[in-house]
Each structure stands twice: as structure tokens, then as C-alpha cells.
Amino acid sequence: MFTATSAADFTLVSKNVKVSIVYGRNGNAIDSITANLLAQDIKSVTGYLPVVSNDISKAKGSVIIIGSLSSKLVQDLLGPKAKEYLDLKDKWESYIVKAIDKPYPNIDHALLIAGSDKRGTAYGVFHISECIGVSPWNWWADVHPVIRKELMLHQVDYTSAPPSVKYRGIFLNDEDWCLQPWAAKTFEPETGDIGPKTYAKIFELLLRLKANLIWPAMHPSTKAFYHYPGNKKVAEDYAIVIGSSHAEPMLRNNVGEWDVKTMGAFNYVINKPTVQRYWEDRVKESSRNDAIYTLGMRGVHDSGIEGVKTIAETVPLLERIIVDQRDMLKKYVNEKITTIPQAFTVYKEVLEVYDGGLKLPEDVTVVWPDDNYGYIQRLSNQAEQERPGSSGIYYHASYWGRPHDYLWLSSTNPSLIREEMMKAYEMKSDRLWVLNVGDIKPLEYNIQLFLDMAYNAAPFNKSEYVKSHMLNWTTGIFGSQKADAINAIMWEYYQLAFERRPEFMGWSQTEPTTKTNYTEYNHFYYGDEAQQRIDRYNVLESKLKKLRNEMDEKDKDAFYELVYYPVVSAALMNKKFLYRDKCYLYAKQNRASAYDFADLSRQAYDSIVSETNYYNNQLAGGKWKYMMSMNPRGLPVYQEPVISNFVIDKSGLFDVIPEGFVNKDSALISGSSKKLSMPVFNHYTDRKYFIDVFLNDNQRVEWTSAINANWIKLSQEKGVLEGISGKKQTRIWVSIDWKNVPGNEKLSGQITIKGAGKEFIVEVSANNEDYRALKGYDGFIEDNG
């Protein structure tokens, strides 16, 4: 036992110090696992692999000691000072880190990591990993630490608070397209599925993120979690809580485990004995697992319960089912039913049943879902907030289903996640948070954000903290020199996705699946909404490509996975559709550039293919082969762009069209000799508007422009159109020099555009009237309708 004053710093590796690691002989399996992972983390930073053992008597010099506060190893080490931490022993998943001088004759310096429980200890170990620069995403996103010859921890003494949310984790879902084929063919071919080797890596990630819960993968492509005995064992070893989704009562995977041919209908009314045996078998099998049991019953395939037709019939049946399920838990897990974590998720039609008068046991956690698109539908009222079982949240960052899937990229805005989850937290939904993460990749940042918030909600009370959180994350991974630039890119990426997810750019739907349609982005008004969106993505791409060339070698794979692929892919998906739209619309106006935009649309699709091939076959030496699909479910939105056949009438040679001057079919309103007009310029809004000058034929045309009033400003006065890609059209921006406009008047002017023997006159109107000067006026001012 120690009597000396605790030290503030602790040296892990130096010229004269080589730390070793000791965990308790009678400790949990997780102590051994995390001790060895910490050793590997230290090696990844310094090149030195510490010796790991469970024999304190053989340790010497500087030693990291790992164990629970109640363990003999830690109690002996702390001696009388153990009393100082008595209150911590009863706290959920908490830990202390303490530097101690000369605790034993053979140990000069010790770093104690002790938890209130086994997960608390693990979180303490990974707290040290993060302190030495090892990211939770070191394996899952190839985030490599900065190499150091010497490694010292400063001001190490730390006592954690319990997590904000008791159960925090992820739901592996819709894994058919990436996670399952990657595990089966690349990472775990010996199992040919998502098996114990894959789950070990997933559980390690969860512990590094200070999470504790998994809803396992459950689609038909994947065998049920309990199908492989190793899955159950690895969950026990990593101390991960096993749960199941809203459609999987009693830890059963109905999709993979209920066989209608041999077991009959999944119907409690007509097939109760078989259904009960089915549930009982799983309860027996899982009785030693740390688990949260989903109560209730729905159909096999995420559908309504069978055997009843009305809410009035469903309520008493569901109440009887829950009583029977709880009796099983009392019999096989613990007679004290209130000590067993249980959840009831009011997803889809179940909410109507709940509102229909369902009497739910007070100790059961009610789980509120979002609407599949990030907006939580319902939160606890005052009475529900006071229930002993409290409530939780099931939230989507990935979704398969009607009317729109988003299974490809991470497209949920972090600010929306914060807004919704903190609203839930304030309404006392703090018992369980589960995030639907699809295939894990490429949702890395949203997973980090969600679980960080669940672990420590306090800083997220302020909405602006989201930006700080993202910056801290990028700084930790890529360093302070590049973090600001990367953070700005990712923020803009999420802003653009919030306006319209990349997966929704086809303006189609699924279940039933429809063909893609033309987007609602306007190409002829509002400054060309479509081009403005393309321009924003072009800026991101330009910045990304520059950054990619500047990245340190160790950061290149992580940069590609976390930043480059999702942002570039989103840009390309937008271009695929918006350029296709321009092709279609410009063809109606006899623009020769329609051919160019057809090519650009196809090129965008080909580039998505190319980037995805790189992700799967070259990234990190092929580590992620089969992990990225650019067409989950093969929906039309992901396919090659459909370019309608068109023919351009070349007889006009070239033409002019101002912003907004098209009919409902996007055709030119006027002939070449008629006057054209622009939207009215208003000094209150001070907008600029465009005029497009474009070829009908692939011939060279020199054009000039002239104005008849000095208050009209043009972005260019002359130019050359040529029949090569990118030069078949040009855009003149028109604005008003309001200093030269007489006060409180409506004025008219003209722009004349000439070339190849043709002349176009564009009328310009400017309104400089001061409506605020009108006596008694207090209201809005109209601007172009």
C-alpha cells in the first residue's frame, strides 16, 4: 500500500523508462483485453510494446495497474485510501486514474486505472489511449497516431462522472450491402458472415467510444447473433450489453430464426405454445449475458402484429404477451423482474397501440423513435418522465424504407442530431439511446457525435458546441494545421445534405420504387439555383483535392474515408442529376451546350464508380474490400443517368436568354429579333441577374454588348463562343450601380448584344422608390412576385 504523495505526471516511455501493464488475476476478461489493447496503443505511438501480465509481484519500475475498485489488486494498492473512493464504487461505469509514487518496493511509479464496474475500468483504459493520441477510430478508419520517442502523461489524476445516458449504443442494420459482404469475404472468411471476429472489433470500437450496447445485425443476409456461439462469448468478454430492435422481441431475430414452414404462423392467438418455446429457448441461452430484453410482439418482417385487426383487440393481447414474457424472465434470469433491463419501442403502428390504452409495467423503458429522418415523433409527458423505467430514443442516421432510403453516405446534419437528442435528454429520455448506423462506415463522425453526447450531454446544451465538437474531432485526427479547413468542408457538406440528401437527388421514391425524375432546382431563375449548388460543391472538391495532396502519409487513408469519399461522392451525385437536368432543359432551348452537360452527367457517374472502386480495392491496401457500395438496394437514384435523345436546331447560330425569360416548357419565349426583358432590379434587395449567350451550332461567334445607361453594370462586355466543350455558352451578370440611379424613381434601360449579324435587345427596369418614406407605411415590399 502507498503512503507517498501522488504524482501529477507519469512517464510511459522514455530513454530510461519502459512502462509495463498489470491487471488482476481474478479480474474480468475485459481487463485482460483492454490491458493488451493499451499495450498495442502504446506501441503504435512509440514502437515499444509493454509487457502485460497479471502478476504484480514481478512488476517493477513504472507500471500501469488495471482493475475494478472492488478487486483485491486495487484494494491492496490503495490500502486505507480505498475509503476515499467508496462512493464511486456504487456509480455506473465510472473510473479513477491516479498516479502513485512508490506503492511497492519494486515499483517506483504506478498509474492506477480503476473502475466502479468492469466497463468503467475499460473506459479508464481507453481514456489513457486517447490521452496518448490514439483515436477510437484507429482501426475502423485507419487513424494513425503521431509517432513519439518519449511519452509522458501530464496531470493524470482524474475521476470520471457517470454517463449521462445509462445504455448507449448502435444498431447494425441494412448490412446487406457493405458490412456483411466485407466481413464474409474480406475480414472473416472463415465464418463467411458477421461473426465473433467482426463483433470483437465492433465491441472494441464501442468501448473506445464509451458505449455499452449493441443491437446486432439482423437482415436475411446475416445469420442471427446467437447462431454463432462465439458471438455470445465475445459479448461476455467485452462486457457489451446485447439488445434487439423494435421488431425482435426477447433477443430473437425473427427474420432468420422463425421458420413459417416448420413453426407455423408467428401468431400468439393461434400458435402460442410454439411462440413461447421460441422465446423461452432464447431467454435460457442468454441468461448469463448482460442484456436488455425487447418486450411485445410485431410481425416477422418489421410489420404489424398478427391475429388481431383493431387497436381494441391488440391492446389486451399485447398486455398478455408482456406478462408472459416477464414470467419467462423471472423464471430463467432473475425473480426480481425490476432488476432486468427491458424495453418497449413504440415504432410505427405500435405507437397507436400504446396510445390506445396499453398498460405497460412501470419498470419497462419506453423507447421513442424518430420519424426515420431525424425528427423525434414523441417525447415523455410529465407522468411518463416519472416512470421508474424511464424512456429512451431510437434514432436513425441510416434508413431503409419508404418513401426514401439513405443507406450510402452520412447525410444527417450534426446540428439536427444535437437538437433532437438534447431535446430528448431534457425531457428525461436518458435511459437508452440507440443509433441506427447501417454499416458503420461512412457514418464515423455521426456515431462519434451521438455517443459523445450520450456519454456527456452537458456541453451540448449550447447549440454552437456542435461546431466545436467537430473541430475537436478533426484536430485530434488530422492535427491543428489542417483541422480548420477540414472542419469548414465537412460543415458545408452537411449543410448541403440538409437541404437535400445525396440519396434523394433523383426525386424518386421507394416502396413502391419509381424512376428518377427531374429535380426541383430552378435553372432559369433565383440566380440559377442548380448552378449555385454545383458551384458550392465545386468549391468543396477543389479544396479537398488540394488538401489530399498535402496530407501526411499516415493520414491519407483516414482523410479519404472520413472526408474525401463522402464529400466528393455527394458532389458527384448532385452533378449527375443537375447536369442531366441542364442537358434536358438546354436542349429545349436549342443550346449546343446540352451535349456538354450530357457528358458531364455521365462523367459524374463514372467518377462515383471510380472512387468506389478505389475505396474497395486500393484504400488501406484493400482492407475495406466490399465495404462500400455506391448503389445499395440497386435503386434508380444510383444508376447511370438517363439522357433523353434530343436534336439541336442549328439554324439560329447563337441566341440570348435572360434570367426568368422562359415558358413552362423551358423554351425561349422570343425569337432572335424580339425584345427580351430581365426581372426588375430593386434597391432594397440589390440582386444581380444573368443573361446567357449561347451557341446553337458549333461555330465561332464573337459577340459584344452595350448599355444605354450608366447605372447598368455588366460582368463582361464582349466574348467569343466556340464549338468546344466549356465554351459554347457564357453568362453575363447584370447588376445596378445604385449610386448613379436618381432617387425615388422607376427607370428603364437597355442592353444590346450583337454578333454574327444578329442583334438582341434586353430591357432593364430598376426600382429605386423609397416606400419607407410613404406616410404611415409599415409592411413588406414586393420583389418580382
Side-chain angles (χ1 to χ4, degrees), residues 547-561:
L547 271 171
R548 191 180 184 188
N549 291 330
E550 296 172 352
M551 297 306 294
D552 294 338
E553 193 63 34
K554 76 177 185 65
D555 295 332
K556 287 185 175 179
D557 289 341
F559 180 74
Y560 189 87
E561 295 167 52

Side-chain angles (χ1 to χ4, degrees), residues 345-378:
T345 303
V346 288
Y347 188 65
K348 293 186 178 178
E349 81 289 340
V350 182
L351 179 58
E352 297 177 32
V353 179
Y354 179 81
D355 285 339
L358 181 74
K359 294 181 178 64
L360 197 65
E362 288 289 291
D363 59 286
V364 175
T365 300
V366 177
V367 181
W368 306 113
D370 68 333
D371 63 351
N372 303 318
Y373 299 97
Y375 295 89
I376 298 172
Q377 293 179 292
R378 172 88 163 267

Side-chain angles (χ1 to χ4, degrees), residues 571-766:
L572 293 169
M573 178 65 99
N574 275 264
K575 290 179 182 180
K576 182 179 83 171
F577 285 107
L578 295 176
Y579 283 147
R580 176 210 60 179
D581 291 1
K582 284 194 180 296
C583 168
Y584 169 75
L585 296 170
Y586 287 177
K588 283 178 169 290
Q589 298 176 340
N590 272 319
R591 300 198 195 196
S593 61
Y595 295 106
D596 297 346
F597 287 108
D599 290 341
L600 288 169
S601 177
R602 295 187 188 102
Q603 287 170 22
Y605 171 80
D606 292 343
S607 294
I608 296 173
V609 174
S610 177
E611 295 294 352
T612 307
N613 283 339
Y614 176 85
Y615 198 117
N616 286 320
N617 298 306
Q618 293 176 259
L619 176 64
K623 176 180 177 180
W624 301 113
K625 189 173 181 65
Y626 301 111
M627 181 53 95
M628 184 53 61
S629 171
M630 57 166 278
N631 61 343
R633 296 185 73 193
L635 296 178
V637 68
Y638 300 112
Q639 307 307 318
E640 288 187 69
V642 178
I643 308 293
S644 301
N645 292 328
F646 61 90
V647 177
I648 301 300
D649 180 357
K650 301 178 181 181
S651 60
L653 189 57
F654 92 107
D655 224 323
V656 167
I657 184 169
E659 179 169 347
F661 212 76
V662 289
N663 64 19
K664 64 181 181 178
D665 295 320
S666 308
L668 282 166
I669 288 178
S670 69
S672 60
S673 62
K674 293 182 180 179
K675 288 185 178 180
L676 306 169
S677 62
M678 303 199 73
V680 177
F681 291 87
N682 188 316
H683 77 99
Y684 285 105
T685 56
D686 194 21
R687 302 185 194 279
K688 61 180 181 179
Y689 298 102
F690 63 81
I691 300 172
D692 283 347
V693 183
F694 54 89
L695 289 176
N696 308 128
D697 194 4
N698 290 333
Q699 295 187 37
R700 179 184 172 90
V701 171
E702 295 184 13
W703 62 269
T704 60
S705 64
I707 58 176
N708 71 348
N710 64 353
W711 44 265
I712 301 173
K713 296 193 297 184
L714 304 180
S715 62
Q716 62 184 111
E717 297 175 354
K718 61 182 178 179
V720 178
L721 301 176
E722 297 184 80
I724 57 177
S725 181
K727 293 191 176 183
K728 296 175 186 175
Q729 64 181 37
T730 193
R731 178 160 284 175
I732 306 169
W733 284 100
V734 183
S735 56
I736 303 300
D737 183 357
W738 293 105
K739 294 191 300 293
N740 288 326
V741 177
N744 205 24
E745 288 187 24
K746 288 184 177 179
L747 298 175
S748 296
Q750 288 183 345
I751 302 169
T752 304
I753 298 173
K754 297 179 180 181
K758 298 175 69 175
E759 179 180 285
F760 300 86
I761 295 175
V762 182
E763 295 183 341
V764 180
S765 299

Side-chain angles (χ1 to χ4, degrees), residues 71-87:
S71 68
K72 185 177 184 302
L73 174 67
V74 174
Q75 289 285 311
D76 288 348
L77 179 66
L78 290 174
K81 287 186 176 287
K83 295 177 182 178
E84 296 177 15
Y85 302 103
L86 284 175
D87 63 329

